């Protein structure tokens, strides 16, 4: 527990330093970067572990989920009530409703995907944590990008392992018997959960969604 606490204190500290550096370098006073930086740190660690082990540990996802909800639902409103708008801006927090909707959308998508054998338990918790940290407005493009990356990575992985065509044949047969011949499913999808590292797909989706914002910051520094 002490090592876990130390790791999280280090992660939050590094995130705060990076967020502050971006804030100062860009000269932005209307947007904070702490939560998005923390989200990047979490997704980077998750991607690394997921690629190596095909698992995303609870020690990473639960604290990230708790921090996201605590900052957006408790800390930011408390700071705003105390009249400290600069701190709220630095956090990059979203409003309470947006945070809850972001968390809820990601949780629902994650649970449905888990039931459909698309995601593992760690993927679902990571997705919910990202939604809690970013909120609905910011997480929608991340979700779209991540699902696209996950599809590409999954198809490429199946193709390399030689299981792509059997999967396509089963899905096609089920669609044919369900919607054309009306005979119902002949063969339930016989494959396990996706072997694509969703942590990597989520990191790529997050990076792509932030590209425009990062591009604006770089242009501001140059010009």
């Amino acid at each position: 527990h002490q090592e876990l606490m130390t790791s999280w204190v280090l992660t939050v500290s590094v995130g705060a330093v990076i967020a502050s550096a971006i804030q100062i370098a860009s000269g932005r006073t209307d947007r904070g970067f702490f939560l998005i930086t923390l989200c990047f740190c979490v997704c980077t660690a998750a991607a690394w572990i997921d690629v190596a082990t095909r698992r995303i540990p609870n020690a990473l996802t639960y604290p990230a989920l708790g921090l996201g909800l605590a900052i957006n639902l408790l800390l930011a409103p408390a700071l705003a009530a105390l009249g400290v708008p600069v701190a709220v801006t630095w956090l990059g927090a979203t409003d309470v409703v947006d945070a809850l909707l972001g968390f809820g959308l990601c949780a629902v998508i994650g649970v449905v995907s888990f039931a459909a054998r698309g995601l593992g338990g760690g993927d679902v918790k990571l997705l919910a944590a990202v939604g809690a940290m970013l909120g609905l407005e910011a997480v929608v493009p991340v979700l779209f990008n991540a699902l696209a990356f996950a599809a590409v990575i999954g198809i490429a992985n199946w193709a390399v392992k030689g299981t792509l065509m059997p999967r396509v044949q089963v899905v096609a047969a089920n669609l044919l018997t369900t919607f054309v011949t009306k005979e119902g499913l002949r063969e339930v999808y016989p494959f396990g959960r996706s072997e694509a590292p969703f942590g990597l797909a989520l990191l790529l989706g997050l990076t792509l969604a932030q590209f425009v914002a990062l591009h604006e910051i770089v242009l501001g520094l140059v010009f």
Side-chain angles (χ1 to χ4, degrees):
H1 293 291
Q2 185 175 359
E3 292 180 357
L4 175 60
M5 181 63 68
T6 301
S7 299
W8 266 104
V9 169
L10 180 61
T11 299
V12 172
S13 300
V14 170
V17 170
I18 295 173
S20 300
I22 296 174
Q23 192 84 21
I24 295 170
S26 64
R28 294 286 292 269
T29 59
D30 62 329
R31 177 186 178 190
F33 298 95
F34 175 68
L35 270 176
I36 187 64
T37 303
L38 181 64
C39 191
F40 264 109
C41 291
V42 170
C43 288
T44 299
W48 181 274
I49 297 170
D50 199 8
V51 169
T53 67
R54 292 298 191 272
R55 295 184 70 252
I56 301 177
N58 291 336
L60 179 65
T61 55
Y62 282 137
L65 175 59
L67 275 173
L69 292 176
I71 291 173
N72 283 319
L73 303 185
L74 300 175
L75 180 59
L79 290 173
L82 292 172
V84 195
V86 174
V88 178
T89 300
W90 179 84
L91 285 171
T94 185
D95 63 76
V96 172
V97 174
D98 192 62
L100 287 174
L101 290 175
F103 165 69
L105 175 64
C106 289
V108 169
I109 291 176
V111 170
V112 171
S113 298
F114 180 82
R117 303 184 186 182
L119 297 179
D123 301 326
V124 175
K125 285 171 273 191
L126 176 64
L127 189 58
V130 170
M133 285 187 279
L134 299 184
L136 179 64
E137 183 177 354
V139 85
V140 168
V142 175
L143 279 173
F144 180 83
N145 296 337
L147 293 175
F149 277 118
V152 171
I153 294 171
I155 290 172
N157 189 40
W158 295 337
V160 169
K161 293 188 174 183
T163 63
L164 177 59
M165 288 310 298
R167 291 173 185 267
V168 171
Q169 289 170 354
V170 169
V171 172
N174 285 335
L175 289 174
L176 179 66
T177 57
T178 300
F179 296 105
V180 179
T181 63
K182 308 295 184 181
E183 297 176 4
L185 295 179
R186 289 186 176 180
E187 183 176 8
V188 178
Y189 192 69
F191 304 101
R193 299 189 186 279
S194 171
E195 297 179 3
F198 186 72
L200 175 60
L202 196 54
L203 174 62
L204 293 173
L206 178 64
T207 302
L208 182 60
Q210 292 300 310
F211 179 80
V212 174
L214 293 174
H215 181 65
E216 290 176 352
I217 292 172
V218 171
L219 287 179
L221 291 175
V222 173
F223 299 104

